[in-house]
Amino acid sequence: MTVVVERTEVAIIGAGPAGLVLAHLLARAGIDCVILEDCSRAHVEGRVRAGVLEFPTVELLRELGLTDRLDREAMIHRGVEFAFGGQRRRIDFEALTGRHITVYGQREVVRDLIASWLDRGGALHFEVSDVVIHDADGDRPSVTYRADGRSHRLDAAIVAGCDGFQGVSRASVPAGALEVAERNYPFAWLGILAEAPPTTEELIYSSHERGFALYSMRSPTITRLYLQVAPDDTVGHWPAERIWDELATRLPTDAGFELRQGPILETAITAMRGFVASPMRHGRLFLAGDAAHIVPPTGAKGLNLAVADVVVLADAVERFLRRGDPRGLDGYSAVCLRRVWRIQRFSAWMTAMLHRFDGGDRFARQLQLAELEQVTTSVAAATSLAEIYVGLPFERR
Ligand code: RFL
Ligand code: PHB
């Protein structure tokens, strides 16, 4: 059987935010790379997922010349609201940090990254199958895969595992070489995308006796809403009417807020977990983004953390390939994990403060309300939340 052999400097597995941003960063440094993606372009561009971009994430996209559409269509949010105990309180990011967040769907980010990558002639193969990483522990790794009915082998100096939580990269590391720390939460999020204009300018995180709810948006005509549900719940249990009733109960009921309904375009349930694999490296294989770690979505951090990883990785790869200096690669995991754990802490803290814990007592609930009171009245506490929410600075050389 003939095998099509290709050579590149960096083989990137996965065309999600991590793999695509890495490809753009490497190309800017003049480093050759090839992206392998097992899904179709339509599927990759259709996934709904995240919506909140940190300030440093947008700055980076701007540096890469990727914000033409974002600058026209995205929504700038200068703060966020918390609803609890019948009241609404705002945290003013701009006043506290001088920075803001940008609401722009992950699918739009991915579309922009793919379009510009293909426009500049970048290599990206969709719908590949049987991806296998070879010789990661030597200095000549390769990746084999099937595409267009043929077998391929991609030889590289570095393999970047950017293939998400279910990908092959982490799974290909021998047992015992990675340590895993994991926390599964006793609830899930049901998320909908609704054709209804948002009625507020900012997100509302609501901590209600019946469970958490989140009011978000994607555009002036599309609302994005989430409800805390049971961990084993299914979409079938949630007809539209039940979703809207529950949202109306859990979101603010004051005269200043209106929950506008509209056709539901998508409904999905996501498990809530924290997960970290370390080190984020095995020989010449480097894990980035969800392939290495998952955070519960309450802090809106997964995509942003994926971008932060590849900023460190691109720098390290450039130092290694262009100057023969391995120190960046050697420090990659430790540098990334410092941020990863700060973000795990933030996401776990937001999750614990806002969700209903079954079996929790009145005492625990009062502590949650007191925490929300503290965060929304103390400038010091609000600033601590705001500086992480808008995004910690990237670690760059
Ligand atoms: P991705 O996006 O999962 O991309 C991995 C890519 O790899 C492909 N792949 C393979 N390719 C080749 N061979 C294989 N064997 C492969 N196996 C998989 C996949 O098809 C895919 O294209 O990982 P990446 O790039 O690390 O990006 C991570 C983010 O997608 C994720 O962290 C965020 O979506 C998390 N997240 C949020 N993050 C934020 O920063 N802000 C938010 O507001 C936010 N909200 C969310 C979220 C995630 C959610 N869900 C559904 C998990 C809200 C939700 C509901
Ligand atoms: C979203 O708009 O999808 C979103 C916003 C904030 C979060 C999570 C998801 O914490």
Side-chain angles (χ1 to χ4, degrees):
M1 190 180 61
T2 55
V3 177
V4 185
V5 180
E6 232 189 310
R7 182 156 185 91
T8 187
E9 296 188 276
V10 182
I12 300 176
I13 308 179
L20 291 164
V21 172
L22 177 63
H24 280 274
L25 287 166
L26 293 174
R28 180 175 67 171
I31 293 167
D32 189 50
C33 58
V34 174
I35 313 176
L36 303 176
E37 166 60 51
D38 70 350
C39 293
S40 67
R41 180 173 180 180
H43 182 83
V44 172
E45 293 186 341
R47 286 194 285 240
V48 176
R49 297 196 175 174
V52 172
L53 304 182
E54 293 175 352
F55 194 85
T57 299
V58 174
E59 270 187 328
L60 179 78
L61 295 173
R62 179 157 295 115
E63 261 177 46
L64 289 168
L66 290 163
T67 49
D68 280 0
R69 192 162 69 96
L70 181 147
D71 285 334
R72 287 196 308 274
E73 296 179 12
M75 307 164 104
I76 304 281
H77 286 203
R78 296 185 169 78
V80 78
E81 288 197 39
F82 287 91
F84 58 99
Q87 36 180 348
R88 274 162 79 188
R89 300 268 182 80
R90 178 168 187 263
I91 292 191
D92 187 334
F93 296 152
E94 194 104 330
L96 295 168
T97 68
R99 294 176 159 210
H100 55 256
I101 53 157
T102 299
V103 173
Y104 189 62
Q106 176 167 339
R107 89 171 19 161
E108 312 308 328
V109 175
V110 165
R111 277 177 199 176
D112 294 348
L113 287 163
I114 291 176
S116 136
W117 182 249
L118 295 176
D119 267 0
R120 70 205 314 271
L124 165 49
H125 305 299
F126 289 105
E127 297 181 74
V128 306
S129 61
D130 305 321
V131 173
V132 181
I133 301 166
H134 306 269
D135 303 322
D137 42 12
D139 54 10
R140 298 175 60 174
S142 65
V143 181
T144 54
Y145 62 98
R146 284 191 65 78
D148 309 319
R150 291 193 294 178
S151 295
H152 296 253
R153 193 183 86 216
L154 181 61
D155 294 334
I158 302 281
V159 179
C162 302
D163 48 354
F165 191 64
Q166 312 285 356
V168 294
S169 298
R170 194 181 66 255
S172 76
V173 176
L178 288 186
E179 211 168 88
V180 163
E182 190 169 14
R183 170 178 291 181
N184 289 300
Y185 288 91
F187 36 75
W189 274 21
L190 175 139
I192 64 164
L193 206 57
E195 210 175 308
T199 55
T200 64
E201 300 208 332
E202 293 168 352
L203 272 54
I204 304 173
Y205 286 88
S206 181
S207 174
H208 190 272
E209 271 57 35
R210 290 180 57 85
F212 170 74
L214 171 59
Y215 187 86
S216 183
M217 60 201 72
R218 285 294 177 274
S219 75
T221 55
I222 304 284
T223 325
R224 175 80 165 145
L225 300 137
Y226 296 97
L227 284 171
Q228 172 185 354
V229 298
D232 53 354
D233 227 327
T234 58
V235 170
H237 290 145
W238 288 90
E241 200 186 319
R242 182 175 177 212
I243 295 176
W244 290 115
D245 281 353
E246 198 60 35
L247 284 166
T249 304
R250 295 189 198 177
L251 288 169
T253 49
D254 60 275
F257 176 76
E258 184 199 351
L259 174 65
R260 225 172 273 173
Q261 300 189 8
I264 295 179
L265 308 173
E266 194 196 271
T267 310
I269 292 185
T270 310
M272 298 273 286
R273 64 158 72 85
F275 177 98
V276 180
S278 61
M280 290 167 55
R281 167 191 198 172
H282 179 67
R284 290 288 182 92
L285 168 65
F286 293 84
L287 303 175
D290 280 16
H293 42 70
I294 296 282
V295 285
T298 328
K301 289 297 176 201
L303 182 159
N304 295 293
L305 207 48
V307 171
D309 285 349
V310 298
V311 166
V312 179
L313 184 56
D315 248 8
V317 166
E318 184 187 357
R319 267 169 90 174
F320 178 65
L321 293 178
R322 293 295 174 263
R323 281 180 272 146
D325 177 356
R327 284 175 298 180
L329 292 180
D330 291 343
Y332 169 72
S333 180
V335 169
C336 289
L337 287 170
R338 211 160 39 224
R339 186 187 188 95
V340 167
W341 278 111
R342 286 182 78 179
I343 297 304
Q344 287 288 2
R345 184 213 62 87
F346 176 72
S347 305
W349 171 70
M350 288 277 282
T351 301
M353 178 168 70
L354 290 162
H355 289 74
R356 174 196 156 117
F357 287 80
D358 283 337
D361 51 22
R362 277 176 49 76
F363 197 89
R365 179 60 186 152
Q366 290 302 325
L367 290 181
Q368 278 184 323
L369 294 172
E371 179 111 53
L372 282 158
E373 191 73 30
Q374 171 71 2
V375 153
T376 54
T377 52
S378 151
V379 173
T383 307
S384 167
L385 182 149
E387 72 183 13
I388 301 186
Y389 203 99
V390 301
L392 297 168
F394 290 142
E395 299 230 18
R396 303 207 215 189
R397 264 178 305 138

